[in-house]
Each structure stands twice: as structure tokens, then as C-alpha cells.
Amino acid sequence: MAAEIVNPRSDSADRTGQEGGAEPLDPFDPVFALHRGGKMAVQATVPVRDKDDLSLAYTPGVARVCTAIAEQPDLVNDYTWKSSVVAVVTDGTAVLGLGDIGPEASLPVMEGKAILFKQFGGVDAVPIALACTGVDEIVETVVRLAPSFGGVNLEDISAPRCFEIERRLQDALDIPVFHDDQHGTAIVTLAALRNAARLSGRGIGELRAVISGAGAAGVAIAKMLVEAGIGDVAVSDRKGIVSAERGDLTDVKRELASFTNKAGLSGSLEDALDGADVFIGVSGGTVPEAAVASMAKGAFVFAMANPNPEVHPDVAHKYAAVVATGRSDFPNQINNVLAFPGIFAGALQVRASRITEGMKLAAAEALAGVVGEDLAADYVIPSPFDERVAPAVTAAVAAAARAEGVARR
């Protein structure tokens, strides 16, 4: 799979009008110009120049490889691309900040994800947008597709279905299944928080965090912070702090309440922020400035909603020692591309059967380590274009997979 921006189907611009395709309002918009015809193409890795090449790449030579795989199924990993390719799967129900826009409209994002896999991790990826949203349908479809892939990256599937879909696929398949909206976000957030804590001379265990948003990212971040030893973390949804005393919780939120909010807080997000050390926003909305001002001295504000952070950096900087967002035009961007290419590269390298909590924690630690001695308030997480990132994450994930007994080579 070639992750190429230059599109080999360059005549598609002429065909669009002729075949009834709708033109964008501004045909000179560079975004539409870049996306015209798609962002990807399949590229051969072996030559087919003459009949001898053809007989090796296809019939009759290919039959010998097929027979060998039929007799020894594990050979598929050595003689096809299976062990180095990931399916990027969505149902189009939670695409970026756009919501449920359907499978066709999700494809530009899935193509983008695929080229990021290639660009930053050297991993081939295939976008697969499904025309179904039922949990059973999605699980069955992905299980049936799985023989073609070495891993599955679930993307932009709405909560709470995403939790069950991932769990059931992990149980059904012997290849890594990873919902990036959950775990990629959590890994990069933890890496940035480790470095923010180091900058302030504190450990993770000394911090009390508040997460705004109890969807896929919020739940995963809470779980990862607890795994990492956070002092305490409370999660807030639209109805306030998630606690065991609430009678309106889903199964996912009841589980969340069982391992968060040790302080027993109740009330609103603003109530939880009073005296808190960390704010992590993955919900959208706006946090009042007064609530930010009520946080502990030297607090950290990670306002990651896009395109509008829950707390604008100009406001956050009045009160916080470290500020991060999900945007590329501010320092300290919490960007999943720092995690998922290296995570899958490491998992595929050792043919891991799954991605464990230990592998995720190792990825976060490696990512934090890239910053090293250059640590500063405006540099607690590296840039996605830092060439050290993917190799560091890849090596850490591969080593953790071996240590946890899920590596098969």
C-alpha cells in the first residue's frame, strides 16, 4: 500500500463534472484539491515486466505458495502482506467532531488514518467503512475480514457500543484489536502528564485529576491514569461527576465509578475542579474561567476538544503551569498519531496476539522519554514529526509484548 499524496488517477478531475459529481463550492480550495480522487493508491512491491515475472507473481507459481499455506497456515505471515497490514474499521458514527455522518462521509478520515500509519510507522493500512452499526453485525463482519489482516484499528465508532465491539473482537481474534479513540488518546495524554509532573517535581501519585467527558476517550484515559498510579481521578459527564451514588449510570459508567473518584466527590465539573491538579477535556463545551482559577496552584490544563478547546489557551495560561490542546497551532498537541503507528508497528513486528495494558503503558513511557532533557512548559510532548517517536514507541511495545508473553516471534 502506497501512502501517496500524488494521485495516479489525475484524470478524475475531468471525469467528475462529466459523470455528474458535485463540485465543491470553491473548486480552488486546497483541501478539496488534495482530496480529489482520494489520498491513497495500491502499489506493487514486486515487478511484473514479462511472462516470467507473471508466472512467479501469479499463475502457475502462486499455486505453490497457496498450497504451502494450506498445509502450514502460519506461513501466511511470511508469504503475504498479512503480518504487516492493518484494517482501519469504522461505521461512521462518531467521526471527528462531526458525529454520525455515515460510512461514505467517513472515508476521507479513514484514508487519512491509513496514510498516517504508513508515513509515521511504516505500516500499511486499508480503510474499511462498514454499512452497519449493530454490535453483532460489526463484530461478525470484522471477524470474517480478519484473515486478510495482521491487526484491526477501530476508529470513530460511537460510545458505548465501541467498548463492547472492541472487547468481543479481542476475545474472538488472535491479532491486535485497538480502538484508537480510546487508547491512543489515553497513551498520549499519560505521556504528556508524566512530563508535566516531572517538570513540576511531582510524581503521578501526587496528582488529582478531573476528566470532562465519559465517552470512549474519557473512560480510557481514566483507566490508564489509574493503571499508572494517579493519586485520584474523577470523571464528569453531562449530568455531573460520575459516582456510585448516581442512579442513572450505564454499565460502562458504573464500572468507571468503581475505580475512580476515591474522594467521593459529587456535583458538577466545576465542583470537582476546585483544588484539582489536572484538567483533561475530551468532551467539548466550555469550562468557565472561574472554575479554572479555582484549581490548585501550578495546575495542568489539557483541553483537547477540537476545534474549540474547553478552555482557550489564553485563559488557561493565566492559571496553569502547563497547557496542552488537541490543536496543531498551539504547543503541546495531544495527537494520537504519536501513538498508534508505533504501537501497531511494534505489535506486528513480534506478531503479538493482542495489545496489553503493559504494552500501552510502555508506549506512554517511551513517548514521554523522547522529550528527555528538553522538557519545558511548552514542550511536554514531542511533535508528530519528531523522527524519534515511532522507533521509540515501536521498540518499547515490542519489548513489552515479549515480556508479557503475547509475542509470537
Side-chain angles (χ1 to χ4, degrees), residues 169-254:
L169 286 173
Q170 287 172 339
D171 291 343
L173 300 175
D174 65 347
I175 57 175
V177 177
F178 183 87
H179 185 208
D180 188 49
D181 299 321
Q182 292 183 60
H183 313 300
T185 306
I187 287 164
V188 182
T189 300
L190 175 58
L193 186 58
R194 282 193 182 281
N195 277 337
R198 180 163 69 94
L199 183 67
S200 69
R202 290 177 286 177
I204 291 284
E206 300 174 62
L207 304 176
R208 179 170 73 83
V210 178
I211 299 172
S212 175
V219 171
I221 292 169
K223 287 182 177 178
M224 181 152 281
L225 293 185
V226 170
E227 286 279 345
I230 191 80
D232 195 11
V233 56
V235 182
S236 177
D237 63 10
R238 290 183 179 88
K239 297 181 179 179
I241 299 168
V242 175
S243 66
E245 285 69 39
R246 280 177 46 182
D248 60 346
L249 300 181
T250 63
D251 290 344
V252 170
K253 290 180 182 178
R254 273 194 293 272

Side-chain angles (χ1 to χ4, degrees), residues 229-399:
I230 191 80
D232 195 11
V233 56
V235 182
S236 177
D237 63 10
R238 290 183 179 88
K239 297 181 179 179
I241 299 168
V242 175
S243 66
E245 285 69 39
R246 280 177 46 182
D248 60 346
L249 300 181
T250 63
D251 290 344
V252 170
K253 290 180 182 178
R254 273 194 293 272
E255 181 189 1
L256 182 64
S258 72
F259 63 84
T260 60
N261 193 19
K262 292 188 294 188
L265 301 176
S266 60
S268 66
L269 170 69
E270 289 82 356
D271 294 328
L273 283 176
D274 189 9
D277 302 294
V278 185
F279 168 74
I280 297 171
V282 283
S283 65
T286 302
V287 177
E289 182 172 346
V292 181
S294 75
M295 295 178 67
K297 184 177 180 181
F300 313 139
V301 171
F302 293 2
M304 301 188 293
N306 265 317
N308 299 311
E310 294 88 348
V311 183
H312 193 279
D314 291 345
V315 174
H317 278 297
K318 295 181 183 179
Y319 311 101
V322 175
V323 177
T325 72
R327 287 175 43 160
S328 59
D329 53 345
F330 293 110
N332 295 327
Q333 184 191 17
I334 307 295
N335 191 327
N336 289 16
V337 76
L338 289 162
F340 68 81
I343 288 167
F344 271 98
L348 294 175
Q349 184 181 98
V350 298
R351 293 184 190 162
S353 58
R354 62 191 300 112
I355 295 172
T356 65
E357 293 304 313
M359 292 161 73
K360 297 172 199 172
L361 290 170
E365 187 171 351
L367 181 55
V370 171
V371 169
E373 297 306 311
D374 295 324
L375 180 64
D378 61 355
Y379 184 57
V380 297
I381 198 75
S383 162
F385 297 98
D386 188 324
E387 295 181 354
R388 299 171 297 170
V389 167
V393 174
T394 298
V397 168

